[in-house]
Amino acid sequence: MRASEALICLKFLAIVYAASDAPRPRGVGPEFAKHYKDAKTFACISNPSIKLPFARVNDDYCDCPDGSDEPGTSACAHLSSYSPQTPGAANATQALPGFYCKNKGHVPSYVPFTNVNDGVCDYESCCDGSEEWDGVGGVKCEDRCKEIGKEWRKQDEVRQRSQTNAAKKRKELVAEAAKIKIGIQDRLQSLTTEIEGSELKVKQLETELADVERREKGKIVKPAGGKGGKMGVLIGLARDRTEDLREHLVRVRDERDSSRSRLQEVESILSTFKEEYNPNFNDEGVKRAVRAWEDYAARDKGPEPKAALDRDLEELTKTDKENGLDWDEYEAEEETDTDVLYAFENYLPSSLRGWLDQKLRDLRLMLVEGGILAASTDSSTESKHVTEARKRLKTAEKDLDGHRKDLKKHNEDLNDDFGPDDVFRALKGTCVSTDSGEYTYELCFLERTTQKPKKGGGHTNMGNFVRMERMTVDEDLPPNGKGLGSGERIVMKHENGQHCWNGPNRQTTVILGCAEENEIWKIMEEEKCIYRMEVGSPAVCEGANGGGGKGAGVKDEL
Amino acid sequence: MYYVNGSSRGWTSLLTLFCILCLLITPAVSVKRENFKTCDQSGFCKRNRAYADTALSNSRWQAPYALDPSTVKFDKGVLTGTVLKKIINTNDNLRLPMRITFHESGTARVTIDEERRQKGDIELRHGSKARKERYNEAEKWAIVGGTTVSAGAALNSDAEKGTTRIMYGPRSRFEAVIRHEPFGVEFKREGETQIQFNDRGLMNVEHWRAKVDKPADEQKEGDEAVVAESDKEAAEDESTWWDEKFGGNTDSKPKGPEAVALDINFPGYQHVYGAAEHTGPLSLKETRGGDDKYTDPYRLYNSDVFEYEMDSPMTLYGSIPFMQAQKKDSNVGVFWLNAAETWIDVTKSTTSANPLSLGIGSEVTTQTHWISEAGLLDVFVFLGPTPQDVIGAYGELTGYSQLPQQFSIAYHQCRWNYVTDEDVKDVDRKFDKHRIPYDVIWLDIEYTDGKKYFTWDPMTFGDPLGMQKQLDDHERKLVAIIDPHIKNEGGYHVVDELKSKDLAIKNKDGNIYEGWCWPGSSHWVDCFSPKARDWWKGLFRYDKFKGTGKNSFIWNDMNEPSVFNGPETTSPKDNLHYGDWEHRDLHNINGMTFVNATYEALLSRDKDEDKHPVRPFVLTRSFYSGSQRLGAMWTGDNQAAWPHLEASIPMILSMGISGYPFAGADVGGFFGNPSKELLARWYQAGAFYPFMRGHAHIDTRRREPYLAGEPYTQIIAQAIRLRYSLLPAWYTAFHEASTTGAPIVRPNYYVHPGDEKGFGIDDQFYLGSYGLLAKPVTREGQEGQDMYLADGEKYYDYFDYWMYEGPTTVTVAAPLDTIPFLMRGGHIIPRRDRPRRSSGLMKFDPLTLVVVIGNSGDAEGTLYLDDGESFDYKEGAYVHRRFHYQGATSTLTSEDVAASPGKKTKEYLKQMEKVRVQKVIVVGAPQTWAGKHEVEISEEGGKSSSGTKKVPLEFHGREGGKAAWAVVRDPGVQIGSGWKIAF
């Protein structure tokens, strides 16, 4: 941790200087002590040509253009680009980082000069209360470093431990991500093999289908004009058509029902809207919508749905059998006199029969191929063999297609950005949620963010994951370490969530800080429907992304 | 439009296209005008304008009002009599009791009532329960002093026949000449007429009459031809006498027509100011049409005007019916004490004294025509001669502005809404992190539980006290909104009490009025009722409004009142208030009564405060004459657009000269997202608003100063820190306002009343009495400002001491990071230069005095300091010093200008002992100081035995156009004691 390193470092310096010099002037940190050694004159740190009698150091009057003569007062606090520029103080920058609090028993720190002798004990940054040495307005700031330091160390220990755990967890995540990756790679390999196999199979089946079709074409067709035959075709057609109609009717009815209920929902939303909108808000869009709704509501809506008709529809959509129509019955009567006639082959001896059959077939094929006879490949009358062969081919093709899609998907997945070390691969689809106000907010890593009202009602999509970015943040870190701190952080952008009334589509920026557990720390609506989520996750606990025991995860105490 | 067969289609489609384009464009830029009446849609305004047209177009016009000489009596500064109104078509005279009161302060007051209504001898329609008198309680709310009747006022026996003359005022310099027939009054100062009443004969008191259902063709009789003429033309057009409809609402008007109107002339005066609040220029425009003139009168009818338009006489949220007229070296004024809807026509006429002089000696007379819907005709007259005389006298009557808490003149951070207590704490921390000072953070309506005031949303503000504790750690405050509409919902204790105690505004039938506002169905507390105010007071006790701490204060919004479904977004006029007064009678006062109740409530929220209260802070949107006593106002819901920034300056100046200087506009603009340039410029301007608050609509992006990014954050921080460093000057200016009524930011005419060229200037202003002249940039991309220097004095750039000299117009460079800001020679400006987190933490910081040497070689300035929060200053707990630099002797002295010490003086001075002057900067230092290295200091009651000490002086010579300046290094003298620095 930088702070503790700094602590050690400062202590070291302190010892060095303490050993060699008189006490430093109030507010001077050890690294600047060398500028204050001369007991007679003081040279401004950034402009050593300006020399002052040492008595002017810390006399509560600002002499140096860089403020270095007032390390222990607020006299030079105005030297800043944020102050109105005046002659003598234009473009000034401070030479010192602030008032140095020794904070014995805790970590030394610098307090901004603006806070020195303002009548407030800034224990958060100066636990020894030394910045209020003048007792302004009667304030007395006793030294609280002992308990604050103790508490800090206690929490620091927790933080350290949690960071160690977090780092461990991250390792696990990375390992798991790697495992998942290997899994995907394996799958890719097997997919390639499977695809090869499937391709072969498809080819094979294609040949098979061609063969079957060829064979079927040679079948003798029943002469046209057969009464029963025509009827059979008709029955087949009618049966298919009724079935089709019935299916469509059912579908249309379902669609109608769902549209009707959606319409009802929309109408009730709009009529509530009309009741509750703020007529004074003078939003033209709203007013137009209300007027349009009023016009709409005033119009004749057409006939109300009639229950009796619905009942009829219900009857209509029952299967034909239930309606007393048994197609099979009719189809079964297929055999006619002509069929019997054609069955003359049955009276021939079997050898002759085989020969004749073959010859007839060949003849037919010849005629068909010569264009003299029509082939019997009409789809409605396609033979079962062909249909089945086609079905097999289709299945095989589908399999192949599926495999190829998988391949593509996995390939893309391998190339996707899952963050450093691929770590978020392990978190994809993992969801965390937190309560804030009247909502529960949920983040599903690499998927989406969602807002769920606690009182019930529909969930609102606050954006779908689109990409990862990086962002520099600068936040105070709470004592428990659950915060973003300062530095560059990984950010997940979620866009195109549910559209907002009078606003954009919802978007969420998820900023990740290092933590032992995946958890949402904070959710803010930064502007209308643009959210910011601060989220802790062990996934970002290494390198530049978070503390991880070393980085900038914990606030720089200086 | 021409319709020629073939081409008409082309025209029509073009027109259609044009209309569509208009539809696309207008909603974004303009107010919803159709929601608000024009004069033509307001019956009494239309009638009185028509009456004026008749009167002015008819040379034989004779006003039908005459003072009956036999009734005239003068006794102890009060002249009484009866004005008789000739009633058309009859020989009847209507008796109008008249009273002219002359006050010790030099103010005169003319009041005219209606005898029949005084006696209650009228009948109301629709069985109304309303009071029969004309509303006579406006003074109860508006007037707090200055009404001691003059003992010196005397009848002048030299009066011409048909007149009565009264000499009054200081050294009897003023005179009122009352003409008996037609009735009229002229006010003179040292023999010269300054103000004329009814000179044009437009006075009109619509008397009560019974509604007669008569056929359209009316019988005319009598021989008063002239009057009868007007009758036919306009005066008796009955169409707007009875029920009036507007925007789907019907006003039942149980008393029929009852308007009062009067023409008031300012002969010789080219400019009139006041009649706040409007968006137009400070110098009021003419209102009867013409180039760059308005077509409608200035309207005063407090309303929630959404997205109000620029440069318009339309009404806004508040009304101050006080007007001043200015000519070279003379300022006079009138205050029209009437709380009903009021319209004011302004016209100017040029008369040539000598037709041959061709314009030389020609004189402009400003004519005004005041029209109110109901109430008394009641006018106060101020005869000046300086702007401060008039504003001061008005302030004496209606009260000076509150001496506010120190924090309330620092920077306020507001937004609709900071959504949780954590959000508030986060913003608080971020200001500190970025070292930008602020004093107050605000909560708009969303903090409540379902818009129920006096509750907190438990989901989002679970720990309001913890939040306030964090703010208090750095002496910061919380302001929470409380509006007058009370949610009509079962189980809500506030509405339950409001109903059960019968303290709400009632409808015309006497039942509790129900309307819509933020919470939906609501009722309105009637703060005209003493019982309601008492109850209201109790609601703010810490144990009642749980979750509020000592550093919490209140914002009163929507108090016009805003009623979403009401006529013109406000209460129906026939609603009834306490005492059975109709809402129409007192509408413009309504907002003030609410703030008054809140102010009283904040004075005692627990036992400690009962004994030792701190000064309340209440911000209001709606106001009337007198509201200045109670807190700050802001200009309502403006837009993040350059024209709104530009308009904010004349608007705030107008508030300042109207006795209500604690005014501001939302920094950044409420609606919409400002560009960063606009935001930065707005902070630069806002640093000069007496009330400085950043605010933003709920649909806008966050725009706290630290979010802007560099260089904008730096520019904004500089503007805010400039405000903080000048807080001692601001606070002193507020103190001056609270004792003399003087504006805090002052227009040119106020500071230089002899400079005619500057009378129309309203885009630059002076801060207090310090000669600090600012002209913030209010236009996009503008990098320089022409500043008008009215006098021959030296002026120095505040930031680099560049020298200018008047009288002239100079161009001051104004890149984005620069505010055009000059120091006029002859003044001494107190500052506190150490940036702190809040103004409360600057309390014990040392001061810097900037001595700006002018032509005479002398300079002076004052400083007022107190604890900034309690009323202890009333017992002497303050420091009030006058610093004086004399060029002749080269000495700077500090003298006490405090009134005689009170019982808390000593204690306070003891507390301030450590507060010293750490630096004296002399700008325009004489060249003779070049060789000087020290100055001699003597302090009264100095502990050092020698009595004097020497401290270093550092001299910087002239450099190019920059003035020489010198710095006294740490004189170390106490701010609260007398001392002298000899250079």
Side-chain angles (χ1 to χ4, degrees), chain B residues 79 98 107 114 192 278 285 302 344 376 551 617 619 641 742 750 776-777 834 933 957 968:
Chain B
L79 183 83
M98 178 216 69
T107 305
E114 184 178 346
E192 196 183 330
H278 297 98
K285 287 191 184 184
N302 299 351
I344 309 160
L376 300 177
N551 60 336
F617 172 77
L619 176 77
Y750 176 92
V777 175
R834 298 187 183 182
H933 296 293
V968 179

Side-chain angles (χ1 to χ4, degrees), chain A residues 59 63 82 114 526-527, chain B residues 569 701-702 710 836 969:
Chain A
D59 68 344
D63 292 294
Y82 275 26
T114 51
E526 292 200 295
E527 58 189 275
Chain B
T569 329
R701 284 193 283 277
R702 294 253 169 158
E710 300 304 354
R836 298 293 194 185
R969 188 191 185 279

Side-chain angles (χ1 to χ4, degrees), chain A residues 56 59-61 63 69 73-75 77-78 80-88 112-120 122 134-137 275-276 278-284 287 436-438 454-455 474-476 486 502 522 524-528, chain B residues 27 32 35 304 306 415-416 426 429-430 433-436 459-460 473-474 516 518 562 564-565 569 697-702 710 713-714 717-718 721-722 725 799-801 831 833-837 841 844-845 914 916 918-919 952 965 967-970:
Chain A
R56 288 198 179 179
D59 68 344
D60 204 27
Y61 185 89
D63 292 294
D69 64 312
T73 77
S74 59
H78 62 286
S80 151
S81 61
Y82 275 26
S83 291
Q85 301 297 294
T86 49
F113 287 121
T114 51
N115 301 13
V116 175
N117 287 331
D118 64 351
V120 174
D122 287 294
D134 199 26
V136 161
E275 286 297 308
E276 293 179 350
N278 175 348
N280 197 40
F281 217 69
N282 289 315
D283 182 320
E284 268 312 310
K287 287 198 160 173
S436 176
E438 50 194 306
K454 282 186 196 160
K455 289 171 193 157
D474 184 15
E475 306 270 329
D476 289 333
S486 304
N502 251 345
K522 219 188 219 175
M524 279 173 286
E525 190 173 0
E526 292 200 295
E527 58 189 275
K528 187 142 194 169
Chain B
K32 308 300 177 271
N35 291 353
D304 182 355
F306 179 86
R415 176 178 175 82
W416 176 25
D426 194 50
R429 280 189 292 263
K430 291 220 164 88
K433 192 178 180 71
H434 292 83
R435 314 250 197 284
I436 301 173
M459 297 288 206
T460 50
D473 282 347
H474 298 145
W516 279 67
W518 295 124
S562 177
F564 290 162
N565 59 342
T569 329
H697 188 271
I698 193 165
D699 287 345
T700 62
R701 284 193 283 277
R702 294 253 169 158
E710 300 304 354
T713 295
Q714 177 182 320
Q718 285 178 356
R721 284 189 175 190
L722 174 67
S725 71
F799 302 103
D800 68 6
Y801 307 157
R831 298 197 311 218
D833 285 341
R834 298 187 183 182
R836 298 293 194 185
R837 286 169 285 191
L841 302 182
F844 298 102
D845 274 346
K914 277 176 99 170
R916 69 189 209 277
Q918 69 161 355
K919 197 186 232 183
W965 54 291
V967 179
V968 179
R969 188 191 185 279
D970 203 4

Side-chain angles (χ1 to χ4, degrees), chain A residues 269-339:
Chain A
I269 289 171
L270 281 170
S271 62
T272 320
F273 165 64
K274 191 207 171 274
E275 286 297 308
E276 293 179 350
Y277 87 107
N278 175 348
N280 197 40
F281 217 69
N282 289 315
D283 182 320
E284 268 312 310
V286 176
K287 287 198 160 173
R288 253 199 306 278
V290 170
R291 270 197 304 274
W293 159 250
E294 284 167 347
D295 290 347
Y296 166 86
R299 271 206 310 269
D300 184 20
K301 281 185 205 149
E304 283 290 307
K306 282 194 184 124
L309 289 174
D310 263 6
R311 269 200 307 280
D312 291 352
L313 192 61
E314 187 66 30
E315 281 307 306
L316 276 174
T317 52
K318 282 186 181 155
T319 56
D320 292 334
K321 244 189 191 138
E322 287 173 75
N323 274 325
L325 178 65
D326 190 352
W327 294 102
D328 293 343
E329 220 171 282
Y330 299 92
E331 273 181 320
E333 289 174 18
E334 217 178 340
E335 198 161 333
T336 61
D337 300 345
T338 4
D339 288 331

Side-chain angles (χ1 to χ4, degrees), chain B residues 668-686:
Chain B
F670 179 62
F671 294 110
N673 293 307
S675 68
K676 290 185 176 181
E677 181 191 351
L678 175 58
L679 187 67
R681 288 298 195 194
W682 213 318
Y683 270 93
Q684 293 179 340

Side-chain angles (χ1 to χ4, degrees), chain B residues 24 36-37 79 104 254 285 287-288 458 462 513 519 585 595 614 748 767 795 826 839 977:
Chain B
L24 286 175
F36 297 93
K37 289 180 182 173
L79 183 83
E104 202 59 51
K285 287 191 184 184
T287 58
R288 282 290 206 147
Y513 173 68
D585 293 325
V595 181
V614 294
N748 207 80
L767 163 54
Y795 287 79
S839 74
S977 72

Side-chain angles (χ1 to χ4, degrees), chain B residues 795-905:
Chain B
Y795 287 79
Y796 305 87
D797 188 283
Y798 181 88
F799 302 103
D800 68 6
Y801 307 157
W802 193 275
M803 280 187 293
Y804 302 96
E805 194 151 350
T808 186
T809 298
V810 298
T811 304
V812 178
L816 188 58
D817 62 358
T818 303
I819 310 171
F821 189 30
L822 306 180
M823 302 183 283
R824 181 173 178 268
H827 298 275
I828 298 176
I829 304 144
R831 298 197 311 218
R832 272 181 163 146
D833 285 341
R834 298 187 183 182
R836 298 293 194 185
R837 286 169 285 191
S838 71
S839 74
L841 302 182
M842 301 169 82
K843 213 183 286 178
F844 298 102
D845 274 346
L847 285 112
T848 296
L849 297 179
V850 183
V851 178
V852 190
I853 294 182
N855 288 334
S856 71
D858 298 340
E860 71 166 331
T862 54
L863 171 71
Y864 174 84
L865 270 180
D866 62 22
D867 67 11
E869 58 181 21
S870 76
F871 288 99
D872 288 356
Y873 69 92
K874 291 189 167 171
E875 293 168 87
Y878 64 91
V879 166
H880 198 188
R881 312 294 304 183
R882 174 173 173 268
F883 308 113
H884 190 198
Y885 178 79
Q886 277 180 297
T889 56
S890 295
T891 52
L892 173 66
T893 52
S894 165
E895 46 188 280
D896 199 358
V897 285
S900 53
K903 76 174 193 227
K904 289 190 172 159
T905 306

